[in-house]
Structure formats: structure tokens, C-alpha cells
Amino acid sequence: MRVSHALFAAALSIGGLTCVAATPVNPSASAASQRSAAPPPRASQVAPPVEKDSVRFAIIGDTGTGTSSQYQVGAELTKARQTFPFEFVIMLGDNIYGSERPQDFVTKFEKPYQALLDAKVPFYAALGNHDDPTQRYYKPFNMNGERYYTFSKGSARFFVLDSNYMDQTQLKWLEEQLSRANDRWKIAYFHHPLYSSGEKHGSEVDLRTQVEPLFMKYGVDVVFAGHEHFYERIKPQNGIYYFIEGGSAKLRKGDIQKGGPLTANGFDTDFSFMLAELGKDAMQFQVLSRGGKPVDSGTLRLAEEPDKPAQSKPASR
Amino acid sequence: MVVSLGCRLEEGEMMRTLLVLGFSLFSVVAAAQESASVNPFAKSMADFKQRVDEYMKLRDEITRKTPEVKETGDPAKIYAREKALGEAIGKARAGAKPGDILGADMAAHFKRILAEDWKARSPADRKALFNELPKGVTITINRPYPPTLPLVSVPPKLLAMLPMLPEALEYRLIDRYFLLRDRDANLVIDMLSGVLPQRDR
């Protein structure tokens, strides 16, 4: 399945998916102009879900610092859930920075998200380069003891990869899982971004050559990654929407290349998190700063017939 | 010998016996020729695999005493198991030295693979990898991988060129080292030093 951006269809036409900006996003706006935008008035500016029975989730990345910024984003997430009742949270890696003693799991995960954990909101973690793979045994991360795994929610299947160590075994597993999935939505997430405008890291080209052909072949719709300490929405690549949300507790200010060719929108001046809703034929997304300020939002629309099975997709995807 | 056997065999049986003996002789000769022309890389690979298997056998024995952690909400159990496993393996392999598993013969192959991979990378790619690699690190066999340092992702194209490892083990790059790491024990079990180029200061 694919998305395109309706408001900028001429510039971003990519086939089967359409992205409509809910909060108007200027397609020519560079990261720099986003940074210079005046902050909107402080109020709850979280948009509620638009569809009944949709799959609603939050996205955070590069979180495990135990710093006040992590706690602030955690509090804002809890607040956002009052308006946008997400069912679960996906974590894009670097879940625990530095030492991983038992107390670190408390200060760098359990306490910052205590309200959500108390409300029985499950978290599904991917491993980052700062994560000991033994985190897969930590029950609150819901990894089932595996470095890479898959889970489904409603009409969506999530493929959670270990981008630190993409060996042939994992690639084989990924292809097998993707080939047998006929879910309406296919979402992949992992730590290292295949596309990025970050000055420090940039795109993971090597990883991209290995996994993107599979994403294209089997119709992955949206990919989330972290690693870069900012938010970036990448212009659609090969029919796939890529997001980076690695600024939920770490921030690399001004790291998004100005005027880079990949950026559809970027935010690198404050911490942020994402909310997403997978509906029958569209994904709504919104990005908020730690202070609740809207950073980006939009709608990615599936253009296919709702009941069309995944196997019947054109092979060219 | 054949004749004496033939005294007690029917003609057909004798023919079968002759054929079997003939094939056996052919196999012995063929095997001898094969061993003389064996690919040295294949031999090194087979030896490396055997050393890995031996490590895994030892590890399996130790794991029986320090069973794998099931999913738990108590990170203290995960931490304790990692520590216990690392210490037990370290004790069982006391005196382990560089090359014990990677092997002197394979070291040249690993270095060649790493050098070729490095050569094939773009300047931007090399810079990105350098940015990720922790520097000024001292690594010791049978000691934990420095627990506060990141585990730098091993480029998938490089991984594809390296011999496959059991799930319990992984290759890692740190500073200028190439490591074999026991994943659940967070233990450095072997290493090659100076395999990555020195970064221009």
C-alpha cells in the first residue's frame, strides 16, 4: 500500500497512497523555517481520533536518558492520551542509555511513563545501539524474548527489527513474515533511519539496500526510526512514508540539514513525540513537542480498495 | 583375499563384492586427491566453525547451571543472569587469548573482508561509521563489553560476508577492534585488534 500527499500531489505523487495535511504543512517549508515559526498558544492542541475502531498508538524514540526532558515528554504523552486515547506505545530504540543496572530501568523507563504503565498501556520496544540485547527479556518491552518480532493490532501488523545487527537470519525471517502478512496496514519500525537529513548520522544506506527492497516488494506502508535526535518526516521514497522520531528525550539542535532534498518537515529545536491512528483507509499522524505544541500533522491515505488482499498488489511495488 | 572369499561366494555375489571393493578403493584415492587440493579458505572456515561449536558446547554446559531468563518484569533477574553467565564463561575459559576462536588462519581472512568492505564504502559512509565507533577503548578477552558504551551496528553488507554465527554470538566493531561477543553474557570472547583504519585526527 502506498501514500501520497494530496495537498502537494503534483510534487509528491507516489502512486497508491495519499497524504493530506490536516494541520497545513507548507511543502516548501524547510526545517529552518519550521524552526523559526512562532510558537502557538499553549493549550491542549491534541487532535482527537477521527475514526471509530481505529488503531491508535504513540511513537517515541531515543528515550532512555532519565533526564527531565524524558519525564516532561512522558507527562505530555499522558496528557495527550486524554484527548487521543492511544492503546499502545512503540519505542524506536535507545530505550536505556548508559548503564543498564536494575535501577536504570526504573529511572529511565518505569518512572517517566509510570502513569501510562499504571493505565496498562503496553510498550513495544525496538533495540537501539545503546541497548543491551538482553532487554528483550524485560517484560514491559513486550519483545517476547526476541531481538526482532512482529505483532498485530486490529488491521495492522507491525514488524519490529533489530537494525543493529541485520544478519541473513533476520533478513530471511523478515521476508518470511512480510510474505505471509495480509494485513491492511504494514508498519515497520527499528532504530536506524534508512533516510535522514541528519548532519551527524545521515541515511543508513547499507541497511537500506538490504531491507527496502523487501518493504517495496511486500507493500510496507510506513516506517518509523529513531537514532537521529530530532523529528523528521521524509518525502515519500519508493512509495513508502518514512518518519524519524528520535527526539523524545535526546535533542541534537539544528542537526537537520537546511534545504536537504529528503525533508518534508522537520523539527530539531525541542523534544517531541508522535501520535498515529490507523483507520480503514488512512493514517492520521500528529507530532507534538514536549510542551504540547503541534509540530506536524497529516493524513496518509491508502488508495486501494479496502478489501483488496495484499497478495494481489502489483509486483512492481 | 578376493580369491579366498570367492571360494565361498556365488558368482554374482563375488561380482558385487569386487564392485564394492573397487568403489571403496576409488573413494580412498579420490579423498586423498581432494585433501591435497582442498581450498585453504574452506579449511580455515571449517576449523573456525569447529572452534565456535566447541565454545557453544561449553556455553551450553554452563547455561544448564545458569538457565536462560524467561521474560520478566524484574530487571534485576536479567542483570544477575548476564553477570553470572559472563563470570562462569570467563572462569571456564580462564587463560583464553586472542585468536583462540577466531583463529590465526582465519584472522587474515577477517582482515581481508574488513579491508575490502572499508574500501567499498563511500567517504560519507566511512565518516558515519567513524562517528559511531567509540574511541580510546581498551578491550580485554573474558571481560564484559564496556556496559556504558553503545553497540555499534555492524553494517549488513559486512555481516553478509562474514561466516554465520549461532544466535548467542555476534560480531562487533569498537574503536579499531573486531570482536566476537557473547550476546547474553555481554562478554568479549575473542578479538582482533587494529583491523579498522586509524582515524585521521
Side-chain angles (χ1 to χ4, degrees), chain A residues 129 137 139 201 206 227, chain B residues 72 82 121 132 151 167 184:
Chain A
N129 56 309
Y137 299 121
K139 181 70 184 129
H201 295 306
D206 199 312
H227 199 46
Chain B
T72 172
E82 178 176 299
R121 292 190 179 278
E132 299 266 341
L151 288 157
E167 176 64 17
D184 281 3

Side-chain angles (χ1 to χ4, degrees), chain A residues 235-251:
Chain A
K235 289 175 186 170
Q237 303 290 324
N238 297 308
I240 300 168
Y241 256 83
Y242 289 93
F243 291 88
I244 296 172
E245 180 48 279
S248 302
K250 283 258 190 180
L251 181 63

Side-chain angles (χ1 to χ4, degrees), chain B residues 19-54:
Chain B
L19 279 170
V20 167
L21 285 170
F23 274 121
S24 301
L25 186 62
F26 174 78
S27 301
V28 168
V29 172
Q33 283 174 340
E34 193 177 306
S35 71
S37 63
V38 74
N39 178 348
F41 179 65
K43 170 80 167 61
S44 301
M45 281 281 283
D47 291 347
F48 172 64
K49 186 182 178 304
Q50 190 179 336
R51 290 189 294 271
V52 169
D53 288 346
E54 281 165 12

